[in-house]
Amino acid sequence: MTAYKTVNPATGETLKEFPEATAKQIETALADSHAAYQTWRNSDVETRSAVLRRVGEIYQERKDELAGIISLEMGKPLAQAKGEIDIVTSIYEYYATQGPGFLADEELSVSGGGTATVRTAPLGSLLGIMPWNFPYYQVARFAAPNLMLGNTILLKHAPSCPQAALAMEQIFTDAGLPSGAYINVFATNDQVADIIADPRNQGVSLTGSERAGSAVAEIAGRNLKKCVLELGGSDAFILLDTDDVAKTARKAAMGRLGNAGQACNSPKRFLVQEGLYEDFVRELTANVGAVQAGDPLEPGTKFGPLSSRAAADQLLEQIKDAVDKGATLHTGGGRGEGPGAYVEPTVLTGITPEMRAYKEELFGPVAVVYPVADDDAAVELANSSPYGLGGAVWSGDVERAKRVADQLDTGMVWINGFAGTQADLPFGGVKRSGIGRELGKYGMAEFANKKLIRVQG
């Protein structure tokens, strides 16, 4: 049975299956991507900009159709699905507009006469391995900068999002991207390893689990290939002070439950000053407990299922492990009604180091709250996680918040807001959250050849 199939997570029904790629199809994809690179690398920046801009326009023209696909395949409520498409459009527009400037030559001041120029050049055909939680957005932040740079792309999407994967490939074709410059492959894990090892491939970018990142990095390292890894996160939401606990708790609940809690950079651990702790837990519990699940294809739904029954089962096991070992369950903690992959929005306190929830990422609608005595204790607890993606610091004293932010071992910190994304801001983490950066000008630097051209005086 093929791994690539559309299974409605709201009902558990398998709707459509797609065959995995054959060895011949993988070979053809590698050859076509490499051949397309020889042409695309020499295209002018105006051509690349025009294609990317058109890609963004098509996303808007097909917004309803595209949103419906991911609502069906991974359970994202329609309003959130349309919001994802808006972000995607902004990414393609950003690189269409700013990309030419990022490609401009850099003239160096050198001794000994003559000139020295650093030219930003492409590397070649790249492999992207993308996840299901933001099916279009994750691809955009890899594809847009690299196509602008002149690289070409093989894209291996999550097996649960085959229709979204095909829809994106069609958009690039319809936008005028040359044949072979972006190719979707329904590859197996063994075929992914072969693609990475192939001399025609020049690098790999993966967004996904820590386990998948480790496996891909091992293969890439063995074959001396560049890799970018955006992995898990267990972001801390540090509340130092607030004049309105109820309002802050409402925002915290919104940040945690968006996309049913399935975001690597959503706030997952809430570290609250002891004087605010009890009020915050009460208000957060009230907000989280009031959330009602619904069919993601219904326009009014704000909270849908997890991506799969397996994802729901794993999260429920983590919750049970915590409760069995003494954690306090304030609301939720169970499976939603019906055959779908629903998990009740949950609040836990009393998490201790022997519980899985202390170290593992909770990839779903679960908020864990800890009391902290002071700023130093908050920093120590925040940094105790093996992950280092993002974090948030909340305080009426911005300078105090900045001092705390400076001490966090993360790739990103938000002050008086929770982690989001926008095209012109770098995205990425440290520690076990990954390697490299996406978006902004940094997104065009990861798979670039910074070529020195020296003219002797």
Side-chain angles (χ1 to χ4, degrees):
M1 182 179 292
T2 180
Y4 289 88
K5 52 190 172 183
T6 297
V7 179
N8 184 349
T11 65
E13 180 184 4
T14 298
L15 302 175
K16 195 170 184 180
E17 298 189 13
F18 298 81
E20 293 171 346
T22 64
K24 182 177 180 181
Q25 287 172 327
I26 294 297
E27 168 57 31
T28 299
L30 277 162
D32 289 351
S33 184
H34 180 67
Y37 169 67
Q38 308 309 319
T39 301
W40 186 243
R41 67 185 298 185
N42 294 318
S43 62
D44 56 62
V45 293
E46 291 79 14
T47 296
R48 299 178 204 169
S49 290
V51 170
L52 291 188
R53 186 167 285 109
R54 183 61 189 139
V55 168
E57 292 170 351
I58 294 174
Y59 269 94
Q60 289 299 308
E61 293 167 5
R62 301 177 186 174
K63 180 185 284 190
D64 289 346
E65 173 192 349
L66 295 169
I69 290 173
I70 60 175
S71 292
L72 184 67
E73 290 197 313
M74 54 74 58
K76 193 187 300 287
L78 280 172
Q80 295 177 33
K82 292 178 181 180
E84 178 177 339
I85 292 164
D86 289 339
I87 295 171
V88 167
T89 296
S90 73
I91 291 172
Y92 285 109
E93 176 62 30
Y94 173 79
Y95 283 107
T97 302
Q98 301 298 327
F102 298 151
L103 292 173
D105 288 349
E106 179 185 1
E107 301 298 333
L108 303 180
S109 177
V110 293
S111 60
T115 64
T117 303
V118 174
R119 181 155 295 160
T120 301
L123 290 180
S125 175
L126 307 173
L127 173 65
I129 305 171
M130 296 295 129
W132 47 261
N133 58 332
F134 291 92
Y136 304 127
Y137 160 72
Q138 304 282 5
V139 172
R141 66 188 197 181
F142 166 64
N146 281 299
L147 288 172
M148 188 65 219
L149 179 56
N151 293 319
T152 56
I153 290 171
L154 298 176
L155 201 292
K156 187 268 184 210
H157 217 311
S160 59
C161 295
Q163 294 190 58
L166 293 173
M168 282 183 281
E169 184 179 46
Q170 188 63 50
I171 286 172
F172 282 111
T173 298
D174 294 346
L177 188 69
S179 176
Y182 180 101
I183 302 173
N184 179 74
V185 288
F186 288 149
T188 66
N189 288 342
D190 288 343
Q191 289 170 337
V192 165
D194 291 341
I195 292 170
I196 297 172
D198 192 284
R200 290 165 292 189
N201 171 264
Q202 301 303 316
V204 56
S205 179
L206 174 139
T207 299
S209 69
E210 185 180 344
R211 182 178 65 177
S214 178
V216 164
E218 180 181 0
I219 300 167
R222 191 162 60 242
N223 290 280
L224 301 178
K225 302 293 178 70
K226 172 69 182 288
C227 68
V228 169
L229 306 174
E230 199 276 280
L231 309 178
S234 188
D235 288 11
F237 178 113
I238 300 174
L239 179 56
L240 302 179
D241 59 74
T242 179
D243 293 331
D244 191 337
V245 173
K247 181 179 180 181
T248 305
R250 284 196 300 273
K251 291 182 177 180
M254 289 173 54
R256 185 66 196 101
L257 298 181
N259 205 39
Q262 300 168 117
C264 54
N265 62 327
S266 67
K268 299 182 175 75
R269 297 177 297 146
F270 297 85
L271 284 49
V272 182
Q273 294 278 344
E274 288 175 345
L276 303 170
Y277 175 75
E278 290 186 6
D279 289 344
F280 181 85
V281 171
R282 182 182 64 253
E283 295 291 341
L284 180 67
T285 299
N287 280 277
V288 169
V291 171
Q292 297 295 314
D295 183 343
L297 289 168
E298 291 294 327
T301 297
K302 297 181 180 179
F303 181 80
L306 270 65
S307 64
S308 68
R309 190 72 180 223
D313 289 344
Q314 177 174 314
L315 185 64
L316 289 167
E317 289 172 3
Q318 292 170 305
I319 295 170
K320 184 178 186 300
D321 173 79
V323 174
D324 287 349
K325 292 175 181 176
T328 299
L329 178 65
H330 293 265
T331 189
R335 188 186 300 278
E337 296 181 1
Y342 290 91
V343 173
E344 296 171 342
T346 301
V347 175
L348 292 170
T349 61
I351 298 297
T352 55
E354 65 270 15
M355 301 173 187
R356 292 177 60 187
Y358 188 85
K359 292 289 187 182
E360 295 180 8
E361 179 178 23
L362 301 177
F363 210 61
V366 181
V368 176
V369 192
Y370 299 86
V372 290
D374 53 30
D375 296 7
D376 290 341
V379 169
E380 182 179 2
L381 181 54
N383 287 342
S384 69
S385 172
Y387 297 106
L389 185 56
V393 184
W394 291 69
S395 174
D397 183 343
V398 173
E399 293 307 312
R400 178 188 181 191
K402 287 181 179 179
R403 290 193 295 271
V404 170
D406 283 342
Q407 298 176 69
L408 297 180
D409 297 332
T410 62
M412 307 175 287
V413 185
W414 273 255
I415 293 176
N416 293 330
F418 44 78
T421 187
Q422 59 189 69
D424 52 356
L425 295 180
F427 190 105
V430 296
K431 300 197 290 187
R432 301 192 75 81
S433 287
I435 303 167
R437 293 294 181 270
E438 295 178 296
L439 298 177
K441 67 179 182 180
Y442 305 94
M444 281 186 64
E446 293 289 354
F447 293 103
N449 175 12
K450 293 291 188 177
K451 182 188 294 185
L452 172 66
I453 300 175
R454 178 77 164 103
V455 178
Q456 292 293 140

